[in-house]
Amino acid sequence: MSSSEQHAHKHDHDHDHDHSSCGLGDHKEQAVPFAASAAAAVYRIQGMDCSSCAKSLEKHMRTLEAVKEVNVNFSTGKMHIVEEGLGKEAVMQEVSKAGYTASPLARRMGAKEASADRTGTQLTILSGILLLLGIIGSFTSVPEAVTISLWALAIVTGGYKPARSAFYAIKSGSLDMNVLMSAAAIGAAAIGEWLEGATVVWLFSVGNMLQARSIEKTRDSIRNLMDLAPSEAWVKTGDSLTRKQVEEIQVGEIIVVKPGEKIPLDSEVLIGTSSVNQAPITGESIPVDKTAGDVVFAGTVNESGALEVKVTHLVEDTAISRIIHLVEEAQEKKAPTQAFVDKFAEIYTPIVLVLALLVIVFPPLFSFGTWGEWFYKGLELLVVACPCALVISTPVAIVSAIGNAARHGVLIKGGAFLEKAGAIQAIAFDKTGTLTEGKPEVKEVLTAVGESEEHVLRIARTVEEQAKHPIAQAIVTYAQKRGFSPLAGNDYRAIVGKGAEAVIAGETYYVGKPALFAELGVSTADWEGSIKKLQEEGHSLIVVGTAKRIIGLIAVADTIREITVRAIQRLKADGIREIVMLTGDNAGTARKVAEQTGVSRYHAELLPEQKVEAVKSMQQKGQVVAMVGDGMNDAPALATADLGIAMGGAGTDTAMETADIVLMADNLEKLPHTVKLSRKALRIIKQNIWFSIIIKLAALILIFPGWLTLWLAVVSDTGAALIVILNSMRLLRFKDS
């Protein structure tokens, strides 16, 4: 927060708060390594279907001298690389060697990159045909050598890409699933199990293809948002219109948007009035009226009148581009559960590999069966050693859930915050701009004997014009409408959490809460009746006066948001134990708002540090606490809570940066959806983990009685991974009923 924000004038309720691969981590996550570095080139990587693939590719790229830094993220399918002298073509060629396809990230986020490599699919189909021909031949009089040749060719065609990836994985010191499967296929051929080997390779190839396509669908769920924004726009130059690519349009140029068209870039309306559907940004389907001076976002739909707008952001800096960037950055951050599973997988795989070698060597040494029999069991263990389904269980669910939330106008900044949202038991709400509209209006002005309303309002306007808080703006607006101009003032100073002061005509005037004047020692005896009556009616009171006397009272009231009551009722129905309102406003106003909204309890007349204490006291009860504020204010309380949730981030960079979760729309409508989605994600992650572990244990148990064949072991591995992916993808379609 800037110093000006920290000292902003807050004399109302809530203004006081701002015045300041395939172990649970800290609540505040670390940034993705050098992902945002300007020197890092970003490539989209296709063909990865497990985090071990990402690790192998990363290690391979690090073997190149020209590569200074590299980070391959499985969840988003992106590679960040800092290199000197390689160039794009060489980078893509090296990635191709490792068995994957790379394409540079387009300037326009979400724009279509290079098409996926179809070679893998073609080889899989050819391998399946050869396998089938060999099986048919085995039931006819075709010589055995012919059927073996067909199966051998099926192994070579279907296993070409996995074998190539395995080679580079071993070269870089990795043991991924491609290495394990290649070893199993070669071993099967070595002991004469050609049909088994061909079946293993083909099933593995099919499983990889299906997994890669399914995972890519989850990754594209957010990038496809950019397709909502048009690629061209009508640019106005003088009296003529020119059709231009959005990448060529500069800040300050004038664009004409006709009724029914999508707005191509973030802009400010210059001429025209219209209704704009902002659903892609905020998740709200109800159109918003726009007129001169209002901001419009790229990808939103101009539903009625024609608009002339001035471009305010380049194509890569639009709100929708920032959303995509933030979401993909969030998807790259590991959730605590994922970090734990990855550590488990790192231990599990080498243990099973060693066990496989022991199984191959020791039993036949002690005459407990033939070498061929135990070699086959060892190959099965190699396949079972791949923990792909387990490792994939968390990241695909996280990517899907974060993608779903973004499409509904909610930014969740990482897996850890998604997990926290699913575990919250209590929510603390800021009042102004959160439970209420945040657009208070002056309802009544009382003056001291001998003082005019005009004089009181001119004094108040002079002091308040420096402040940004809604209460201050309400007073300034009211004075403007009455035609009361400000006086000449100087030495303005904000009094944090209480009000402000300025010197006017040589005398210091104060505008703020009644408590401010109590501290100054100014008697309020003559005003007690009026103060009590107005506060009981739910008004916020602003006192105007000097260090000697009060010259007037200004009563201001805010209105409850229509959606607030419904949102709180839904949160209660979803099992949130405690819903608390924290406000710097007086007890009368707080009580009235609490009664109207249905919050469990409230704390009134709080300073910023007292809001922090209120959050801490809830945490001390053992509750996981979320704090909901406006993103620019309430910074200390947002940071103290287990989960900070900011309101109205669509046009506010600060809101996007300060909180763990951002509700893009300026209302609470999407908060219950976010809680339900997070809980659903946690359930699916647990289902995935338990399913993966049970399948692995079952496969391990079935090996030794001889009930598990090599191809069944592959099915148990790739099949389990595919089921886990499909289960996670349910989150993409989740809707709050």
Side-chain angles (χ1 to χ4, degrees), residues 541-557:
L541 292 186
I542 305 304
V543 182
V544 182
T546 66
K548 297 177 180 177
R549 69 189 189 98
I550 294 172
I551 64 171
L553 288 181
I554 302 175
V556 180

Side-chain angles (χ1 to χ4, degrees), residues 78-136:
K78 290 196 299 185
M79 176 176 71
H80 300 267
I81 184 169
V82 178
E83 46 86 11
E84 292 179 2
L86 263 184
K88 290 181 181 179
E89 293 300 324
V91 169
M92 291 190 286
Q93 189 175 354
E94 287 297 333
V95 172
S96 178
K97 284 182 183 178
Y100 310 105
T101 306
S103 57
L105 207 62
R107 178 187 172 201
R108 180 170 174 253
M109 294 190 64
K112 299 300 182 185
E113 283 99 21
S115 58
D117 181 14
R118 301 292 179 188
T119 307
T121 302
Q122 293 167 354
L123 289 174
T124 300
I125 293 170
L126 180 58
S127 176
I129 292 170
L130 292 168
L131 172 64
L132 181 61
L133 289 174
I135 292 172
I136 293 171

Side-chain angles (χ1 to χ4, degrees), residues 386-444:
C386 180
C388 196
L390 180 63
V391 172
I392 218 170
S393 60
T394 302
V396 180
I398 295 293
V399 168
S400 298
I402 290 176
N404 177 301
R407 291 202 316 276
H408 285 84
V410 181
L411 287 184
I412 301 176
K413 293 189 179 177
F417 306 131
L418 179 73
E419 291 190 5
K420 284 284 184 185
I424 59 174
Q425 301 158 320
I427 302 179
F429 286 99
D430 175 31
K431 181 171 75 66
T432 302
T434 303
L435 297 178
T436 63
E437 290 287 354
K439 297 176 182 177
E441 296 179 349
V442 174
K443 300 296 183 182
E444 192 172 349

Side-chain angles (χ1 to χ4, degrees), residues 568-591:
I568 289 176
Q569 287 173 346
R570 287 170 62 194
L571 288 170
K572 286 181 175 179
D574 291 340
I576 300 298
R577 298 180 190 172
E578 195 171 9
I579 298 177
V580 179
M581 181 179 71
L582 306 179
T583 177
D585 209 345
N586 63 76
T589 302
R591 181 172 59 253

Side-chain angles (χ1 to χ4, degrees), residues 200-201 271 465:
V200 164
V201 167
I271 301 173
E465 277 198 321

